[in-house]
Amino acid sequence: MPTVSEEWLIKDLKSKWSSGGISSSEKIYLDAAQGSILSSSMATAARTGADEVSALAQKANQELQEIWSKIDFTSYTALAPYEVDAIFASQGITQAQFIDTFQTETNQTTTKMNASAQAFENMDKQLQEVIEKTVATDKQLGKEFRQWKEKM
């Protein structure tokens, strides 16, 4: 997230831009700053979402396992435990169906969310590298960037 001074600097440059008083270096800085803020914010949001999904999936998997473990197949006196187990299984209620299928789904969702977060983090890193290369190739622009960052 941008600091108060970064936001002020960006607003100052935007107002100069709208009045036609912005230099080409300032325009590049403004574009770079906005891109940097946007990409880092997107990467942070994606990682936060992926971490929340992971935590929720872990909790749900644990709670489901606890529910399954509370089923007592030996409490039925008229039937043997294996007969009770077979009756549940004939209705599609098995540990594999009840728990494993659910855990497979939550694991796949968690994997997809982590992959998306990683993609946003990679994009952010690439954008930051491009900005740094741009600054490094133009000595005057680099000098102005450093001065603007010192003001922040």
Side-chain angles (χ1 to χ4, degrees), residues 39-55 110-122:
S39 71
S40 64
S41 295
M42 290 170 56
T44 299
R47 177 52 57 201
T48 300
D51 291 346
E52 286 178 15
V53 166
S54 293
T110 300
T111 299
K112 287 178 185 176
M113 289 295 292
N114 280 322
S116 293
Q118 186 63 52
F120 277 107
E121 289 165 347
N122 291 343

Side-chain angles (χ1 to χ4, degrees), residues 54-113:
S54 293
L56 289 171
Q58 184 176 14
K59 182 179 178 183
N61 288 338
Q62 181 180 357
E63 288 177 4
L64 189 61
Q65 184 66 43
E66 289 170 7
I67 290 169
W68 182 260
S69 68
K70 290 178 182 178
I71 299 173
D72 183 7
F73 292 106
T74 63
S75 66
Y76 299 95
T77 56
L79 300 171
Y82 74 89
E83 291 173 310
V84 175
D85 189 36
I87 291 170
F88 273 79
S90 71
Q91 299 302 309
I93 302 173
T94 64
Q95 182 170 357
Q97 183 63 31
F98 192 64
I99 294 176
D100 298 346
T101 302
F102 182 78
Q103 288 179 342
T104 298
E105 289 292 323
T106 58
N107 290 341
Q108 288 174 350
T109 300
T110 300
T111 299
K112 287 178 185 176
M113 289 295 292

Side-chain angles (χ1 to χ4, degrees), residues 13 20 26 29-30 34 50 80-81 87 105 109 127:
L13 288 174
E26 288 172 325
Y29 175 76
L30 183 59
Q34 287 178 322
I87 291 170
E105 289 292 323
T109 300
L127 180 65

